Amino acid sequence: MSYLKFTFNASLWLVVFFLLTSCADTNDLVSTTDSDPHITELSSEAIAESSSSVEIPEENTSQSSSSIETTNPEASEGVSSEAITDNSSSSRDPFERSSSSMRRLSSSSLALFSSSSIASSNHSVYQPGDFILGADISKFQEYEARGVRIYDTDGQQKNIFEILKNHGFNFIRLKTFVDPASQYGYAAPGCGETSSEAFGDKAHILAYAKKIKGAGMGFLLDFHYSDNWADPGKQIIPERFRSINNIDELADSIYAYTYDVLNALNLAGTLPDMVHIGNEITDGLLRNLPVSNTNCWGEPSTTAPASVSAQLSKYPSNFAKIINAGLAATKAVSPEIITSLHIESPLKHGSWWLSEVAKLKLQFDVIAFSAYTAYNHGTPPEWKTFIQNESKKHPHLKFLIAEYSGGTSPSKWTPGASRATNLMLKEVGAMGSFYWEPALSGEWGAAAFEWKGNSLYAKEEAFSEFDGILDQLELKRH
């Protein structure tokens, strides 16, 4: 008994000694992170520059933005030439900081949170390497707040995650705005139902990410880097950053904002599996400013000055600095997050865009496309040829359809369209697809749900199409 007591006491002291030593080592680690040679100043990075302008093919898209039920705000084109309004009263970026403090932020956080803390689920329906059968359900946050009831094809009331998983879906895409409740934002006062809450802001993303991870699904976060819809027609600089007057300072602020959102998700155990650094950035991002009559859709707008504009066709080096800032912040939070860049109309823009971006030597993982047949973006056979050709030129990249619809004409379901899109992607080894806002229909295509009063009902014709291809996609219902 005395021997056992001695052994226990000695072991206990060894444990105490080990813990004290470990704490000292950790303090040493944190104290030395300021000099981490791997965290470099973004504004002084050696970014490939191009002195020539990039030729952007003109897009002939005409549409109205009077109702979200009839028009996809992400597809609008055309920019107003109205005068820039005075933004001198705009607030400064609360995350804005010098390059040296930025290094302290990223390196010390890396030391403390270097391992990803993605929430684990005992019922995960997505595993890395699985084909992605995804949906962008950003609007469903708003439907839930309005008390909308949702019914599956079997007539049973369920939440949206249960319904999607029951038909093989395994991944969710969410958009995020910087300050959607600000003037000219998505949830600005007077903007109808979206004004009730700042949907799409950091707090709402954190709350909904818990539901996504709790459902065991994959999570893609789509950074718009705007207070409102960012799309080919406009990419409005958010109010938080409008007082910035040089591209290096703007890049630092984009780094800090991206890091802040992702680190908050990391600490909550809901880190995204993938992110978009910008939304439909065919001709760049952060390139427009609001005007006095800019509406709830961010239209019209005017061009931002050259000192801050990240328009690809005119200021490719500025574009590279902003994209590199977002990419660096993402990988600083977790190297495991998949990074993607997102444009629209792959047949028209994909080839030249990938060639131009390759000149800038941007290091990202996935090229993602909006691919709407109703918007003349092409058809699955054409997308197949495009992916096969471009994957040979860019073998390091994965391909993904970030947005599509089950209708090939406005507001009308097209039997077989979703089936053809996903089977084509599986055949060519692409990552997968995301059905954009399945409860909405309009010029871009059809909804997979039907509205009846304040309730949504899953359409049998839509979801049976997904049920019928699960075996070929090597997926299953959950």
Side-chain angles (χ1 to χ4, degrees):
M1 183 67 71
S2 59
Y3 171 78
L4 290 175
K5 183 176 181 180
F6 170 80
T7 303
F8 173 80
N9 289 337
S11 300
L12 180 60
W13 279 109
L14 284 172
V15 170
V16 171
F17 175 77
F18 174 80
L19 289 174
L20 289 173
T21 304
S22 297
C23 289
D25 291 343
T26 301
N27 290 333
D28 289 342
L29 177 60
V30 174
S31 67
T32 59
T33 54
D34 282 13
S35 60
D36 185 347
H38 299 290
I39 307 301
T40 59
E41 182 173 335
L42 284 171
S43 58
S44 63
E45 285 182 332
I47 300 173
E49 299 190 17
S50 172
S51 58
S52 60
S53 296
V54 180
E55 189 69 24
I56 307 291
E58 292 185 3
E59 189 77 46
N60 182 20
T61 303
S62 176
Q63 61 187 65
S64 168
S65 58
S66 60
S67 169
I68 194 166
E69 307 299 337
T70 59
T71 302
N72 178 358
E74 290 196 292
S76 72
E77 306 259 348
V79 177
S80 169
S81 60
E82 294 190 44
I84 300 173
T85 55
D86 181 11
N87 292 295
S88 59
S89 61
S90 298
S91 59
R92 295 289 289 181
D93 172 23
F95 301 110
E96 184 184 321
R97 61 202 71 205
S98 67
S99 297
S100 60
S101 64
M102 192 71 66
R103 288 196 296 271
R104 288 196 293 274
L105 166 71
S106 54
S107 59
S108 61
S109 297
L110 272 171
L112 293 173
F113 308 113
S114 59
S115 61
S116 171
S117 58
I118 295 177
S120 60
S121 172
N122 293 327
H123 54 285
S124 294
V125 299
Y126 173 77
Q127 298 295 332
D130 288 350
F131 183 86
I132 293 175
L133 186 61
D136 187 318
I137 59 169
S138 299
K139 288 287 289 185
F140 277 79
Q141 301 169 80
E142 300 171 38
Y143 303 152
E144 291 176 10
R146 285 162 37 194
V148 173
R149 296 183 178 183
I150 313 172
Y151 297 86
D152 203 347
T153 53
D154 60 6
Q156 299 298 308
Q157 183 182 344
K158 303 174 184 176
N159 65 50
I160 184 59
F161 304 104
E162 292 171 326
I163 293 173
L164 291 174
K165 290 195 298 181
N166 187 41
H167 298 282
F169 284 77
N170 58 11
F171 225 102
I172 299 298
R173 179 180 186 253
L174 289 184
K175 67 177 181 288
T176 185
F177 302 124
V178 179
D179 293 309
S182 65
Q183 186 180 18
Y184 308 118
Y186 175 79
C191 285
E193 64 183 38
T194 62
S195 300
S196 61
E197 296 181 37
F199 295 107
D201 69 357
K202 176 183 170 183
H204 283 81
I205 292 300
L206 283 167
Y208 220 61
K210 292 181 180 179
K211 294 185 177 183
I212 296 171
K213 289 298 183 176
M217 304 182 80
F219 174 26
L220 188 163
L221 184 61
D222 178 15
F223 282 102
H224 277 239
Y225 293 119
S226 184
D227 296 331
N228 211 322
W229 298 103
D231 55 47
K234 82 282 182 191
Q235 300 269 338
I236 297 178
I237 297 173
E239 183 178 48
R240 187 184 297 181
F241 305 143
R242 276 180 219 145
S243 59
I244 295 173
N245 58 18
N246 71 81
I247 195 65
D248 292 330
E249 189 177 353
L250 182 58
D252 280 352
S253 294
I254 289 298
Y255 180 103
Y257 162 71
T258 306
Y259 189 97
D260 176 71
V261 173
L262 292 177
N263 193 48
L265 288 165
N266 191 28
L267 294 175
T270 56
L271 197 65
D273 301 278
M274 188 188 311
V275 299
H276 287 331
I277 303 299
N279 185 79
E280 293 187 330
I281 57 172
T282 312
D283 194 20
L285 67 169
L286 299 166
R287 56 181 170 82
N288 297 102
L289 292 171
V291 292
S292 59
N293 62 331
T294 296
N295 63 20
C296 295
W297 307 100
E299 302 167 344
S301 65
T302 191
T303 55
S307 58
V308 293
S309 175
Q311 185 172 358
L312 175 60
S313 59
K314 293 183 177 180
Y315 315 109
S317 63
N318 286 0
F319 173 82
K321 286 182 179 181
I322 295 298
I323 295 299
N324 274 328
L327 293 172
T330 300
K331 294 299 186 180
V333 174
S334 172
E336 302 304 314
I337 300 176
I338 299 169
T339 54
S340 61
L341 300 185
H342 171 212
I343 67 171
E344 44 55 78
S345 193
L347 302 184
K348 187 170 186 176
H349 300 302
S351 184
W352 72 259
W353 194 90
L354 284 169
S355 295
E356 292 300 325
V357 168
K359 297 175 185 177
L360 300 175
K361 303 186 185 304
L362 302 177
Q363 300 298 312
F364 61 102
D365 305 311
V366 177
I367 178 64
F369 304 98
S370 292
Y372 295 104
T373 300
Y375 276 152
N376 297 316
H377 289 177
T379 62
E382 293 173 313
W383 300 331
K384 175 183 177 180
T385 300
F386 166 79
I387 293 173
Q388 288 175 327
N389 291 339
E390 293 302 318
S391 61
K392 295 175 183 176
K393 301 177 188 176
H394 310 279
H396 61 289
L397 289 177
K398 294 288 187 180
F399 289 74
L400 174 77
I401 289 185
E403 298 180 22
Y404 76 102
S405 172
T408 59
S409 58
S411 301
K412 187 176 182 180
W413 184 264
T414 305
S418 296
R419 170 188 173 87
T421 296
N422 285 288
L423 291 182
M424 175 277 296
L425 291 171
K426 177 69 172 178
E427 180 184 352
V428 297
M431 292 190 75
S433 67
F434 288 87
Y435 196 109
W436 190 80
E437 294 292 2
L440 297 179
S441 63
E443 294 179 1
W444 62 92
F449 287 84
E450 181 181 6
W451 284 96
K452 293 182 180 180
N454 198 42
S455 297
L456 278 171
Y457 291 81
K459 292 181 179 179
E460 176 66 34
E461 65 174 343
F463 284 96
S464 63
E465 198 163 307
F466 295 110
D467 296 340
I469 60 175
L470 295 182
D471 286 344
Q472 291 158 283
L473 300 180
E474 300 181 79
L475 300 176
K476 61 182 180 179
R477 300 169 72 157
H478 292 271

